Amino acid sequence: MCGIVGYVGDRPCRDLLIAGLEKLEYRGYDSAGVSVISDGEIDSVRAVGNLANLREAIAQHGGDGGVAVAAPPATIGVAHTRWATHGRVTEENAHPHGDCEDKIHIVLNGIVENHAELRKELQAEGHEFSSETDAEIVSHLIERHYDGDLTTAVRAAFAELRGHYAFVAMHLDHRDTLVAARKECPLVVGRAGEENFVASAIPAFLAETRRVLTVENDEVVTITPDGAEITDADGNPVSRDEDEVTWDEDAAEKGGYPTFMKKEIHEQADAVAETITDRLPGLDSVDLSGVELDDDYLRTAERIMIVACGTSYHAGLVGRYAIEQWARVPVGMDIASEYRYREPVNRPNDLVIGITQSGETADTLAAMRLAREGGSKVLAVTNIMGSQATRDADAVLYTRAGLEIGVAATKTFVSQVAAMYLLGLRLAELRGTMPRERIAELVAEIKSLPSKIDETIAKTDKRAAAIARGHADRRFFLYLGRHIGLPICLEGALKLKEISYIPADAYAAGEMKHGPIALLDEDTPVVCVATDSPVLDKVLSNVEEVRARGADVIAVATEGSDRVAEVADQTLFVPRTDWMLQPILAILPLQLLAYYIARENGLNVDQPRNLAKTVTVE
Ligand code: F6R
C-alpha cells in the first residue's frame, strides 16, 4: 500500500512533501522518494527504508536539492512511499520515476497490469528503462504522447493502461502544474489559498488544509496554484463540490473511521485487488511467475501440507478445499504449534505451505524449518516483505494487503484466501485437472471479488450493527457450518472471542448432535454460514434442529436464497459468486457482527486485551 503526495504553490515544498509522507507511514512502505523542480532541473532523491533514511539521503545530496545556495527553493514536487510489488526493494525501484530525458517524473500507487507489453513496445521505440517497476512505464508513456500539453499527454497515457492505480505526473516545462489520474486507487486534492495538494489519502495534507476534492474513477485532474480542474477520461470537464473535513488528526490516521479495524474492514476490496490483479492477466490463466517454484515441482508434488496459526490457519482451511477440489492434490492441514511437535513425516515430494501474515510467527517459522529439514519444499504465503518467513522459504507468494494495524486480522485474511485461490487455480492449470472453460469461469469470478466485497460490506454493515445491538449482552455464541462454511465459522467465532471477550465455539454442523447440541437454549444465538453450496440442504436441516431448541439463528446466505431467510431469525445476504468463492464474502458480515458487538460493549477493538499483533516467542 503505497503513499502519494504532490504539492504546487508558493512555499518551499520538500519538507511539506515529506511531512505528508510521514502521515501516510501507517500504511507501510519499504522505500521512499521525492522529486522537485529546482533551478531548471528535476531534483530527485530516493532511499530504501524509512523516511529517516530519505531525510539523510537528502542531507547528503545537499539540502534543498544539491543546487547553488542562491537558487530559489522548489515550490512544486511529488513524493512517494513504496510498498514493493513489481521489482525488488532497491533505490532504483523506488519512486519517483523519470522518462528518458528526465523531464517527466511520476509517482504511482497500485498496479499496471499490462506493463510487460507496454515496456516491450516502448523499448522497441527506443525508450530506456532504469527500474524493474510497472510504474516506470507511465513516465515513458507520457513522454511518448507529450506535445506541449501535459494534461493531454497524461490522458492519452491513462487510456493505454490497464489495472488499478492512481498516479501524479510533473513536467520540467510546467513549473506550476501537476496532473493526476485515478483508476480505482484513491486520489484526493487538498485545496488551499494559493497552493494545492494531491495525495492518496487526506492525512497527507490535513495539517495544511481541510478543503478536499475527491477524484473519482477514470478522472484526470490538473492542479495548479490557482485550482484543480477535473475532466473525465475523454476530456470533458467535470464539476465537483469541495468537502470540508472535520476529522481530528487521530481520526485522520484512521481514514475517518472510528477504529483501525473498521478502516481495515473497508480496505478489503483493495487488499484483494492488489493480491490478484496482475496475477490474472488473461481470461483463463494464473500468472504466479513471481513465485519462484518450479512448474514441474508444482505439477508433480504428491502432497501439500499447510501449516499456520489462528486466522492464517483458517485461510489455509479454505485453501485446502480449493486445492483439493480444483487440482486434486491431497492437502493436509496442521496448526503450526502442533505440527512442529508431532514428528511429522516429510518427503521431498511434499510441498509445505506456511501461511503467516506477519512472516514472523515463531510456531509457523519453526514448522516451516522442520519441513525444510525433512526435505520438503516450503512456500511462504505472507504479507510482509523481508520478513523471516521470506528468508526461510524456498519461494514466497505475497499477499498485498498493506499494513494491518488492528490486532484482529481482517484484510490480511481475505487476501490470504485470495492467494490460496490463485494457487489452487494455478495447480489445476498445471496438472490439467480442470477444463479451460471452468478455469475461465473462476478467473472471471475471482476478478469480480473486489467489487463484490465492497458491495457486501455496504449492504450488510447496518444490518450487522442492528443484530449486534440485539445480541451484545449474550453470554455465548455457537457458530455452525459445513464444508467451506466451516472455516468461516471458525474465523467468525475467533473474531468474536478476541475482540468482544464473549465465549464462542465453532463446530462442523454435522457434529452438533454428537454433543454441542446440549449447549443450546433460547439464550444462545447460533450463527450459521448457509451460503449456496452442495451441502446447503444439510446445513438447513441443522438450522431446523437448532430452531427446535429455541435458539436464535443468525444466518449468512447467498442473495436470492429465500429458503435460508425462511428458517433463520435474521439473515445477512452476500452477493452470488461461484460457491467455492463464497467464503471470502461470507466472512465479511461476521467480521462486522463481531466488531459491532465489541463496540456495543465499549471495548477497544484495535488492541484487545492479552493479544499482540505478532507472536514471535514460543
Ligand atoms: C486473529 C489473528 C491471529 C493471527 C495469528 C497468526 O485475528 O490475527 O490469530 O492470525 O497470530 O499470525 P500470522 O498470520 O502473522 O502468522
Side-chain angles (χ1 to χ4, degrees):
M1 296 293 216
C2 314
I4 287 179
V5 195
Y7 172 88
V8 53
D10 52 7
R11 281 194 281 166
C13 70
R14 200 194 303 261
D15 284 344
L16 275 176
L17 290 168
I18 294 177
L21 289 185
E22 271 165 3
K23 296 290 178 195
L24 301 180
E25 273 189 300
Y26 67 90
R27 298 168 65 86
Y29 64 104
D30 45 48
S31 51
V34 56
S35 292
V36 296
I37 298 183
S38 177
D39 200 30
E41 61 177 21
I42 295 188
D43 182 34
S44 193
V45 183
R46 300 176 291 179
V48 168
N50 60 20
L51 292 178
N53 295 4
L54 181 63
R55 283 191 190 281
E56 199 181 309
I58 291 171
Q60 278 174 12
H61 175 76
D64 196 44
V67 293
V69 181
T75 58
I76 178 169
V78 290
H80 192 258
T81 42
R82 173 174 188 248
W83 175 284
T85 53
H86 289 73
R88 291 156 302 150
V89 182
T90 61
E91 196 179 315
E92 292 72 35
N93 288 338
H95 302 208
H97 290 291
D99 66 333
C100 300
E101 309 243 301
D102 211 31
K103 291 182 109 179
I104 298 164
H105 272 214
I106 67 102
V107 286
L108 179 139
N109 281 3
I111 288 167
V112 177
E113 279 176 45
N114 54 339
H115 67 99
E117 59 204 75
L118 287 171
R119 181 182 279 251
K120 258 192 220 136
E121 266 177 36
L122 289 158
Q123 277 170 335
E125 289 168 21
H127 290 263
E128 281 180 18
F129 286 79
S130 56
S131 78
E132 303 160 324
T133 64
D134 53 339
E136 193 187 344
I137 310 294
V138 178
S139 47
H140 292 274
L141 269 185
I142 298 172
E143 180 181 25
R144 174 201 258 178
H145 292 290
Y146 182 74
D147 191 15
D149 182 337
L150 184 58
T151 304
T152 307
V154 165
R155 190 174 300 114
F158 186 58
E160 291 186 78
L161 300 170
R162 282 204 321 266
H164 69 284
Y165 46 80
F167 67 86
V168 183
M170 170 175 88
H171 194 298
L172 185 58
D173 296 345
H174 300 269
R175 292 170 196 207
D176 59 356
T177 308
L178 297 173
V179 183
R182 168 184 177 185
K183 191 169 220 62
E184 286 170 33
C185 289
L187 196 64
V188 279
V189 174
R191 303 284 315 271
E194 297 291 290
E195 58 182 6
N196 284 300
F197 295 80
V198 61
S200 49
I202 294 170
F205 52 68
L206 197 63
E208 304 298 330
T209 180
R210 292 180 167 269
R211 292 166 52 202
V212 175
L213 269 186
T214 304
V215 183
E216 301 289 355
N217 238 355
D218 285 323
E219 288 179 349
V220 174
V221 58
T222 305
I223 304 136
T224 64
D226 305 324
E229 280 177 19
I230 301 180
T231 51
D232 66 16
D234 298 323
N236 304 308
V238 173
S239 75
R240 176 83 23 87
D241 292 335
E242 273 179 30
D243 294 316
E244 181 81 22
V245 175
T246 51
W247 317 327
D248 59 22
E249 289 263 336
D250 177 49
E253 260 211 328
K254 296 173 185 141
Y257 293 102
T259 60
F260 280 109
M261 183 175 171
K262 192 72 197 299
K263 172 172 169 285
E264 286 155 5
I265 285 175
H266 282 265
E267 284 171 351
Q268 295 186 100
D270 215 23
V272 170
E274 294 269 354
T275 301
I276 62 171
T277 306
D278 67 314
R279 290 161 173 160
L280 297 176
L283 296 178
D284 60 1
S285 61
V286 183
D287 178 2
L288 290 187
S289 49
V291 180
E292 286 165 358
L293 260 190
D294 206 23
D295 281 355
D296 277 340
Y297 191 79
L298 292 176
R299 219 175 264 121
T300 55
E302 282 168 21
R303 189 178 66 146
I304 291 176
M305 186 71 208
I306 301 176
V307 289
C309 301
T311 290
S312 298
Y313 175 78
H314 301 150
L317 286 173
V318 179
R320 174 169 72 175
Y321 285 106
I323 295 172
E324 287 198 334
Q325 165 117 18
W326 296 340
R328 309 304 299 148
V329 192
V331 182
M333 272 299 309
D334 217 338
I335 292 168
S337 55
E338 289 297 316
Y339 178 83
R340 60 183 293 201
Y341 295 115
R342 71 171 166 81
E343 296 187 29
V345 180
N346 296 118
R347 294 163 309 183
N349 256 1
D350 288 348
L351 171 64
V352 174
I353 305 174
I355 307 180
T356 163
Q357 82 80 22
S358 62
E360 303 290 350
T361 297
D363 282 319
T364 309
L365 294 175
M368 288 164 61
R369 270 197 292 271
L370 190 66
R372 252 186 131 188
E373 283 158 19
S376 303
K377 283 241 189 292
V378 173
L379 169 69
V381 176
T382 185
N383 199 39
I384 305 294
M385 287 219 159
S387 58
Q388 191 60 42
T390 67
R391 294 195 289 272
D392 288 354
D394 295 288
V396 183
L397 171 56
Y398 284 104
T399 53
R400 299 169 180 155
L403 195 68
E404 192 172 59
I405 293 176
V407 165
T410 52
K411 63 177 180 169
T412 53
F413 173 71
V414 290
S415 45
Q416 286 169 340
V417 172
M420 295 309 285
Y421 286 148
L422 296 179
L423 190 63
L425 271 192
R426 179 68 185 143
L427 285 163
E429 197 184 354
L430 286 169
R431 299 165 88 102
T433 47
M434 263 202 301
R436 276 269 156 224
E437 306 77 64
R438 174 77 180 123
I439 294 186
E441 259 170 42
L442 284 164
V443 165
E445 288 291 340
I446 293 174
K447 283 183 179 174
S448 73
L449 286 176
S451 64
K452 286 182 179 163
I453 288 173
D454 270 343
E455 189 187 331
T456 309
I457 292 170
K459 285 187 175 159
T460 56
D461 186 85
K462 284 208 171 64
R463 186 135 182 76
I467 297 173
R469 272 195 297 281
H471 291 79
D473 58 349
R474 299 301 177 94
R475 311 285 292 273
F476 172 71
F477 283 69
L478 184 65
Y479 288 65
L480 292 178
R482 282 174 182 257
H483 199 267
I484 46 163
L486 180 56
I488 296 312
C489 288
L490 291 164
E491 177 58 11
L494 175 61
K495 289 291 91 106
L496 185 71
K497 285 183 264 198
E498 69 179 323
I499 61 173
S500 76
Y501 319 146
I502 298 175
D505 207 347
Y507 250 90
E511 275 289 286
M512 227 195 8
K513 54 183 166 300
H514 301 291
I517 199 159
L519 290 167
L520 298 183
D521 60 24
E522 328 46 80
D523 290 329
T524 319
V526 176
V527 180
C528 262
V529 174
T531 50
D532 278 4
S533 83
V535 294
L536 179 59
D537 284 339
K538 291 205 170 296
V539 174
L540 286 177
S541 58
N542 296 130
V543 171
E544 298 283 9
E545 281 169 347
V546 164
R547 281 185 44 96
R549 268 88 197 158
D552 195 7
V553 176
I554 303 163
V556 179
T558 306
E559 242 160 37
S561 188
D562 297 336
R563 290 192 302 152
V564 180
E566 275 161 24
V567 294
D569 296 283
Q570 274 123 344
T571 310
L572 292 151
F573 283 109
V574 300
R576 189 165 291 279
T577 180
D578 188 277
W579 71 273
M580 282 293 287
L581 308 179
Q582 288 280 334
I584 209 168
L585 303 180
I587 189 57
L588 308 170
L590 298 189
Q591 293 169 342
L592 288 165
L593 184 67
Y595 175 82
Y596 283 118
I597 289 175
R599 295 284 285 173
E600 282 292 322
N601 288 310
L603 298 169
N604 178 352
V605 294
D606 286 337
Q607 184 50 73
R609 69 184 181 205
N610 305 334
L611 286 170
K613 185 75 193 159
T614 308
V615 184
T616 51
V617 286
E618 294 160 43

